Amino acid sequence: MTAPTYQYVDLPDAQVVTTRALLTARENIADTVAARAMMCIHGGAGFGKTLAVNTCLRELEETAGEEVCRVTFRARPTARAVRYELFETLRLPGEPPRHPSEFDRLLKTTLAERPRTFLVDEAQWLNGEAFEYFRYLWDEPATQIAIVFVGGAGAHTVLRREPMLSSRIFIWQQFTRLTPAEVLEVVPLFHPVWEDADPVDVTFADEQAAHGNFRAWAQLTAHTRTALERTGRSRPDRDLLRWAFSRLA
C-alpha cells in the first residue's frame, strides 16, 4: 500500500472515496475508540477494508491525537510471537523479557500508561492462542486500549470460534462488493480516468472485470491510464477497455 492514501497500487491522482462502507467504518471506529472497546471489520479481499480503516484511524491521529499502533501477523502466531511483536510495535527499550510472566507485566504496565488503539490487520491468520492473548491484555482493568481487528472473509469465522473474545466484540462490520449503483457513483470520483467515461462503459468494465471489487478497480484503472497515455485517447472506450481486461487474470 502507498501512503498517505493506502492504495493497493501507486496510482497517481487516485482519491479516497467516501463510500457508504467507509462512512460507516468511520462512525464505528470512532465509537469503538471512545469506548476503549474491540471491533471486527471483515470481508472479501479487495473490498477496501484496510484502506478504509487506515484512512479513518489517520483522521483520529490527526484530529484527536489518538496513538495508533499497527500490527500484522502471518502464519498462526503464538502468544510468544504476539508478545514480541507488541514489544517492537511499542518501541520498548532494552531486551525483551525472557519469562512470560515478566513479559506480561511489562506489556500491561506500558498499556496502562496512556490510551492507545491497536489495528490488527490480517486477523484471519490469528489462532485461538493469539486472540486469547489480546483478550487477556484488553481485559486488564488498568490497560487503556481499543482494538480494531481487520481481516478477510475468514476473520469473522475465526473470531466466532473464540466465544470468550467474540462476546466482547463491541461492533461487527462486514465489507461487501460495490453495488452497480455505487460503482456509477464512486468510480468517476475515484480517478480522473473515469470522470468523462460513458456510464455504460463503466458498467461494462465492472461487469467484465472489476465486479464491484475496489482493488480490481485500482488495477483496471492503472492499466486503463497506461492505455490512454499510449494511444492518446481522451477517454476509455470498449476497445481500450478490452485491452486492459487482457492484462487481468
Side-chain angles (χ1 to χ4, degrees):
M1 294 182 298
T2 58
T5 58
Y6 303 98
Q7 298 289 347
Y8 173 66
V9 293
D10 189 5
L11 188 57
D13 301 320
Q15 301 293 322
V16 174
V17 184
T18 50
T19 62
R20 280 179 288 183
L22 189 147
L23 291 173
T24 301
R26 177 182 291 158
E27 182 178 274
N28 289 341
I29 290 171
D31 289 345
T32 298
V33 170
R36 293 293 146 196
M38 294 187 287
M39 71 172 293
C40 175
I41 290 182
H42 60 100
F47 288 178
K49 304 180 300 298
T50 299
L51 182 147
V53 171
N54 274 292
T55 299
C56 296
L57 287 175
R58 192 179 69 218
E59 290 178 0
L60 287 177
E61 287 178 300
E62 294 174 351
T63 62
E66 183 66 23
E67 181 177 345
V68 178
C69 302
R70 294 170 172 83
V71 292
T72 303
F73 298 97
R74 306 285 182 184
R76 305 290 187 257
T78 62
R80 181 175 182 272
V82 174
R83 289 186 183 98
Y84 278 90
E85 184 65 28
L86 294 179
F87 184 90
E88 293 296 326
T89 300
L90 293 167
R91 299 178 182 177
L92 298 178
E95 294 296 321
R98 293 185 178 182
H99 300 290
S101 59
E102 183 183 354
F103 214 148
D104 293 345
R105 282 196 301 272
L106 173 63
L107 290 176
K108 287 190 289 187
T109 299
T110 302
L111 296 176
E113 291 174 348
R114 59 183 180 272
R116 292 180 176 90
T117 293
F118 281 92
L119 165 57
V120 183
D121 206 357
E122 303 295 347
Q124 73 275 6
W125 291 109
L126 298 183
N127 56 19
E129 182 182 2
F131 275 130
E132 174 61 23
Y133 192 73
F134 276 107
R135 184 195 68 80
Y136 166 73
L137 293 176
W138 182 83
D139 267 353
E140 172 63 36
T143 58
Q144 304 179 65
I145 57 175
I147 304 176
V148 181
F149 294 106
V150 182
H156 177 269
T157 302
V158 174
L159 267 172
R160 285 297 190 188
R161 292 195 194 116
E162 304 299 326
M164 292 290 288
L165 179 64
S166 64
S167 64
R168 289 165 167 78
I169 297 297
F170 187 55
I171 296 175
W172 301 84
Q173 181 180 348
Q174 181 179 13
F175 270 60
T176 59
R177 297 179 186 275
L178 296 171
T179 66
E182 286 178 304
V183 166
L184 290 175
E185 180 181 354
V186 306
V187 167
L189 301 175
F190 169 58
H191 197 277
V193 159
W194 308 107
E195 282 181 349
D196 298 322
D198 189 323
V200 175
D201 289 334
V202 174
T203 297
F204 174 73
D206 191 57
E207 292 174 345
Q208 297 296 315
H211 310 297
N213 184 302
F214 235 123
R215 186 176 298 166
W217 268 110
Q219 294 170 332
L220 178 61
T221 301
H223 295 311
T224 302
R225 181 176 177 271
T226 298
L228 289 171
E229 291 177 348
R230 292 179 180 175
T231 62
R233 299 181 187 183
S234 60
R235 67 177 190 171
D237 56 29
R238 293 297 176 94
D239 290 338
L240 190 146
L241 288 173
R242 288 190 178 93
W243 177 86
F245 297 164
S246 72
R247 289 189 154 197
L248 302 175

